[in-house]
Amino acid sequence: MELRHLKYFLAVAEELNFTKASEKLFISQPPLSRQIAELEEELQAKLFIRNNKKVELTEAGKYFKEEVTALFQHLERISVKTKKIAENVSGEFRIAYISSIYSSVISDLIKHLKAQFPYVNFKLFEVSTTKQIDALEQGKIEMGIIRSPIHSPKIKSYLWFKDGFSLVYNKNTVQIKSENDILNLKDETFVFFNKDYAPHYHQVLLELCAFYGFKPKIIHEANNINSIVQLVKNGLGISIVPSNIAKNNQDIEIGFIELKKVNLYTNVSLITSKDDHSEITQSAVEFLLSQSR
């Protein structure tokens, strides 16, 4: 049995007329009749009832039509997936993100992409903003999630959400009731992001402290937001973190006070290469932009 036998059978089964089927297939009627006869002989089943007035499917023919139709639909799906693989909708897709982005959103993104592109190997990397920009420009990642600003002619950015700031402290070691009490913390030690690791973010934190009337005593620095929160929990200082972290932290030993008086925000953006028009990248960006923050 060859694929052409099945195509000829479906044409006749759909038209229920050998003349019309032969015209549809661009062959003459005698070869078409011969091919159908060969198929019936191989199956040892009569597929059509033929007479001078009409052509009808037998019960076996009806069943065979249903199964062959499903088979061709499956072949079409295989063809589409094969084409996508050939168009590089496969292989590896690398996503970098900053540590202050809540991880469950990233997990949801990977699940979403994996359902659409089962042949792609998705890889995640926790990388600073500056290193992400370099990596994207060099083709080492396909997408990044950063805190703006972005200064690169090679990169396209999409604003995901604006993030405010919150003071984070250990409830057992620091006594503070509201934003109005922040100046009382001027003699406390602070834990900040490393200046070389996130220079813009580090500068914003200094500006925040200046707004509240003091210069922070920075004793500890870290390159990871979770490390900073852990140092605060261990009583080694106070810090200022993105409000996004505060919203998703349930630790009863840690307190957060949102800094509402100061009009300072950071833009969390999605970045891709300006030359990247792939289906995966488009799907990833659209999914994240659809998630309300």
Side-chain angles (χ1 to χ4, degrees):
M1 186 186 304
E2 297 181 22
L3 197 59
R4 73 171 186 276
H5 289 116
L6 302 181
K7 288 182 178 179
Y8 292 166
F9 164 77
L10 277 183
V12 177
E14 289 168 358
E15 298 293 338
L16 293 178
N17 185 297
F18 276 82
T19 301
K20 290 182 180 180
S22 63
E23 291 172 353
K24 184 178 180 179
L25 294 166
F26 300 102
I27 63 172
S28 60
Q29 187 173 334
L32 176 59
S33 298
R34 187 165 58 250
Q35 295 288 342
I36 297 299
E38 289 177 4
L39 178 61
E40 289 179 318
E41 184 177 349
E42 183 171 350
L43 290 172
Q44 296 185 351
K46 194 173 183 63
L47 301 174
F48 296 100
I49 299 171
R50 308 167 180 82
N51 56 47
N52 294 330
K53 294 183 179 180
K54 60 181 179 179
V55 176
E56 292 182 88
L57 284 165
T58 64
E59 289 304 313
K62 291 177 184 177
Y63 168 77
F64 195 62
K65 179 187 178 184
E66 183 179 327
E67 294 297 320
V68 171
T69 300
L71 174 63
F72 273 99
Q73 289 172 347
H74 182 60
L75 286 173
E76 177 63 23
R77 287 194 293 271
I78 292 174
S79 297
V80 170
K81 285 189 177 180
T82 302
K83 182 181 178 183
K84 286 185 176 182
I85 291 173
E87 293 174 345
N88 295 322
V89 186
S90 63
E92 191 171 273
F93 191 86
R94 299 155 296 185
I95 303 171
Y97 63 98
I98 48 178
S99 61
S100 56
I101 298 301
Y102 187 44
S103 60
S104 70
V105 179
I106 308 299
S107 299
D108 291 342
L109 170 64
I110 298 302
K111 290 176 185 176
H112 169 77
L113 293 174
K114 203 65 183 171
Q116 283 190 300
F117 309 100
Y119 297 105
V120 178
N121 181 24
F122 293 97
K123 289 190 174 182
L124 294 173
F125 304 91
E126 188 179 296
V127 184
S128 70
T129 289
T130 53
K131 289 184 178 179
Q132 280 192 48
I133 292 172
D134 290 341
L136 192 59
E137 288 180 335
Q138 296 167 21
K140 294 180 179 179
I141 60 173
E142 279 65 55
M143 188 176 83
I145 304 174
I146 69 167
R147 289 190 185 274
S148 301
I150 305 142
H151 303 293
S152 172
K154 299 179 181 179
I155 289 176
K156 184 190 304 182
S157 68
Y158 308 82
L159 176 62
W160 188 12
F161 64 93
K162 287 184 173 292
D163 204 357
F165 294 93
S166 293
L167 185 82
V168 55
Y169 62 97
N170 185 306
K171 293 179 180 178
N172 299 318
T173 59
V174 176
Q175 300 300 315
I176 183 171
K177 295 181 179 180
S178 71
E179 189 177 359
N180 296 325
D181 301 327
I182 289 179
L183 183 58
N184 298 335
L185 304 176
K186 65 182 186 328
D187 295 324
E188 297 285 345
T189 59
F190 278 77
V191 184
F192 269 19
F193 262 106
N194 181 277
K195 183 178 180 180
D196 295 330
Y197 184 81
H200 177 74
Y201 188 72
H202 183 93
Q203 182 60 36
V204 169
L205 297 184
L206 293 178
E207 290 176 16
L208 281 167
C209 293
F211 175 85
Y212 287 98
F214 68 95
K215 183 178 180 179
K217 295 180 180 179
I218 304 171
I219 304 300
H220 301 286
E221 292 187 338
N223 295 344
N224 181 284
I225 195 71
N226 297 313
S227 299
I228 290 174
V229 173
Q230 189 61 45
L231 288 170
V232 171
K233 180 179 178 179
N234 293 341
L236 297 177
I238 299 168
S239 191
I240 297 173
V241 299
S243 295
N244 180 61
I245 294 296
K247 293 173 184 176
N248 296 291
N249 190 294
Q250 305 297 323
D251 197 315
I252 59 173
E253 294 183 52
I254 297 175
F256 292 93
I257 293 177
E258 189 171 0
L259 306 181
K260 296 180 179 180
K261 291 184 178 181
V262 60
N263 190 30
L264 272 178
Y265 299 89
T266 60
N267 292 335
V268 177
S269 299
L270 315 177
I271 57 172
T272 64
S273 169
K274 282 188 175 178
D275 297 327
D276 185 352
H277 306 290
S278 79
E279 190 177 346
I280 304 176
T281 302
Q282 182 180 349
S283 179
V285 170
E286 288 177 353
F287 176 82
L288 289 176
L289 292 179
S290 71
Q291 304 301 300
S292 58
R293 303 296 299 172

